[in-house]
Amino acid sequence: ASTGDDTKTPQEAKNPASPWKTIKTATLTAIAGDSILVQPGTYNESIESKRDGLTSAPITFKANGAVIIQPPTGTPGFFISHNHIVIDGFTVTGGTIGLRLGPHDGGDGPVSGLIARNNIVTGNSNNGIQFTNAVGGIVEFNTTSQNGQNGISYSGDSSKIHDNTTNSNGQFGIYLKDGVDHQVWNNSASGNTKGNIKILGITIPPPGSAPIGQRTFYIDGTNGKDTRTELQAQSVNTPWKTIARGLQSAVAGETVAILPGIYAVN
């Protein structure tokens, strides 16, 4: 925090009245199960973590209000190269990669249990959120926009990418580069230069969804809403409004079920 002091002891920094000044100081101390609670303000730091959490006790970086990370020129906002870390609730802007999650190089082996949640990642020169050589990474409830390359880029296996909003990025909104057993659902993507969602990895059905190629989407011209997700539109109780929206998502072998009503087709 702006009133913090990095000379405080770890015991003192547990008291909200005597915090550390920089997030970097906390990364040198936190161990599995600890939370780094960041008070509101703008932090001109590139935050790197080389400590491991545990599956049952991750290390959590948590924004306690409006926290903006503006890293120095040529650096990422967060660089997380070890296992079981959560990044929750930050605004990250002006870096190379907003959230860089994965090992320093391909020889380090896969990194597991990384979670990016509730972040706003915008205006970075490369990818907004980037997972590399990751296993079991979770990307949820983030907003990524106006990044130079992809809003969300994932390389590795077994991701869960859901309920993100990604728009106006220089390449794809979501780019799933490789790997197996990915689940991708309930994302909203628009206005990305080379395409909104590009999937090269192998996906499995998300929770509550039929396999791709076997889905049925419902259309109700009276009660439907085109802002609903693909998962929601697979229920007759939460349909889309227009036939065009159904055709936008349906692939070979799938059904667009049109409920009774009058539809103006241009």
Side-chain angles (χ1 to χ4, degrees):
S2 59
T3 58
D5 181 351
D6 283 349
T7 65
K8 299 289 186 182
T9 66
Q11 187 63 36
E12 288 173 320
K14 292 179 181 179
N15 185 339
S18 56
W20 282 318
K21 184 176 182 65
T22 64
I23 304 169
K24 177 182 178 180
T25 301
T27 67
L28 301 175
T29 303
I31 61 174
D34 285 346
S35 293
I36 299 171
L37 188 63
V38 184
Q39 299 301 326
T42 298
Y43 294 77
N44 300 117
E45 300 183 51
S46 180
I47 301 146
E48 183 171 2
S49 174
K50 296 182 179 180
R51 290 174 175 260
D52 288 308
L54 299 172
T55 303
S56 59
I59 296 172
T60 299
F61 292 82
K62 172 70 174 178
N64 188 30
V67 176
I68 300 172
I69 306 298
Q70 290 184 324
T73 301
T75 64
F78 283 86
F79 187 3
I80 306 299
S81 59
H82 284 56
N83 303 285
H84 303 295
I85 308 290
V86 179
I87 303 175
D88 186 352
F90 294 87
T91 295
V92 184
T93 185
T96 50
I97 300 167
L99 307 183
R100 182 179 177 183
L101 309 174
H104 287 268
D105 57 61
D108 282 348
V111 175
S112 62
L114 302 183
I115 301 174
R117 173 186 296 143
N118 298 322
N119 302 289
I120 299 172
V121 186
T122 183
N124 298 284
S125 61
N126 199 291
N127 294 314
I129 300 175
Q130 175 182 299
F131 283 70
T132 304
N133 202 6
V135 175
I138 298 175
V139 195
E140 59 186 8
F141 305 105
N142 302 284
T143 298
T144 63
S145 64
Q146 298 180 339
N147 297 290
Q149 295 190 21
N150 305 292
I152 298 168
S153 175
Y154 192 102
S155 177
D157 294 322
S158 304
S159 69
K160 293 182 179 180
I161 304 174
H162 69 93
D163 294 286
N164 301 284
T165 299
T166 179
N167 53 70
S168 302
N169 295 287
Q171 293 187 13
F172 301 108
I174 297 173
Y175 184 24
L176 187 54
K177 300 176 69 174
D178 51 41
V180 298
D181 295 335
H182 300 290
Q183 294 178 295
V184 182
W185 77 96
N186 276 12
N187 298 288
S188 175
S190 63
N192 298 288
T193 302
K194 292 189 176 181
N196 290 323
I197 300 179
K198 177 75 170 180
I199 296 178
L200 299 180
I202 298 172
T203 61
I204 59 176
S209 173
I212 292 176
Q214 301 177 29
R215 300 173 296 182
T216 295
F217 297 113
Y218 292 91
I219 312 298
D220 184 335
T222 303
N223 299 309
K225 294 181 180 179
D226 283 350
T227 56
R228 289 173 173 149
T229 66
E230 290 186 353
L231 186 60
Q232 290 172 321
Q234 291 175 60
S235 169
V236 69
N237 296 314
T238 52
W240 283 322
K241 184 176 183 65
T242 65
I243 299 170
R245 180 65 187 88
L247 295 176
Q248 178 183 334
S249 290
V251 301
E254 297 187 333
T255 300
V256 178
I258 303 171
L259 301 175
I262 298 175
Y263 296 82
V265 180
N266 295 326

